[in-house]
Amino acid sequence: MSFHDSDPDLDSSGRELVLALGYIDTLHEIFPKMDLLNSNHGSMAYRKAKHHGVPRHLLKSYNDALGVPEQDWKWHDQIVVRLPNGHDVLIGHFFGSDVLKASIAMGMSLIQGHAHSSFELRYWQSMSGLHFAITSGCLIDDKSLAYAYNKMQIKRPIMGATFIENSQPYLIPMLVDQDNRWIGTK
Ligand SMILES: [Fe+2]
């Protein structure tokens, strides 16, 4: 459903959805309650509908389409999380290519994704305290045909996740084997 050209050797979006539904059940068991961010990826169905003049009201919610109870997974444009130390963090899909600059401009800690080939944690200090600006890693399989549109770019996707424990942020790269499969370490 991407606005990029799709490789004709890929499964259709309908086939992908059928394949994904089985895994969504497993994901729901692992994360029965989850807050998710809307993005230029996850909101593709609604972007396509808007592009073709279909009102949002006529479309199913994602939870409905995925078979997840409406109250279990909550979708947001942005989320503000208050950490145990009283520090607020704004989390969104993308605030800009320079996340440190965006964080300083907004006067608060930020976490974003979207960039694919950036994975960074920067700190800055203001009179009100220490703040962080994070561009988190992604989970893109660089060898997938679905990502073939990027194959001529020098920068490759960096797989990893951001983890916060007791108000302390950590970046955790996803270590993989020769076949690009996770080797199961943190
Ligand atoms: Fe994105």
Side-chain angles (χ1 to χ4, degrees), residues 39-41 93 113-116:
S39 69
N40 56 319
H41 317 269
H93 186 65
H114 182 72
H116 305 171

Side-chain angles (χ1 to χ4, degrees), residues 59-110:
L59 304 176
K60 282 184 171 185
S61 70
Y62 271 128
N63 286 4
D64 194 8
L66 298 174
V68 174
E70 212 55 54
Q71 69 277 9
D72 284 3
W73 289 2
K74 294 192 168 57
W75 295 80
H76 312 268
D77 289 331
Q78 295 176 343
I79 306 171
V80 176
V81 174
R82 176 151 293 180
L83 301 180
N85 64 354
H87 189 95
D88 285 337
V89 184
L90 176 63
I91 308 171
H93 186 65
F94 191 59
F95 299 107
S97 55
D98 187 334
V99 69
L100 178 65
K101 196 170 160 185
S103 178
I104 293 170
M106 297 182 78
M108 64 191 303
S109 290
L110 296 184

Side-chain angles (χ1 to χ4, degrees), residues 6-53:
S6 289
D7 192 302
D9 292 328
L10 281 169
D11 284 335
S12 69
S13 56
R15 173 71 183 148
E16 279 195 357
L17 179 60
V18 169
L19 292 173
L21 285 177
Y23 184 67
I24 291 292
D25 286 344
T26 306
L27 196 60
H28 184 237
E29 284 173 21
I30 300 170
F31 299 106
K33 300 288 181 187
M34 188 152 57
D35 290 291
L36 302 106
L37 290 167
N38 294 320
S39 69
N40 56 319
H41 317 269
S43 309
M44 189 56 73
Y46 308 131
R47 290 177 62 201
K48 284 272 177 166
K50 185 179 175 188
H51 184 74
H52 294 288

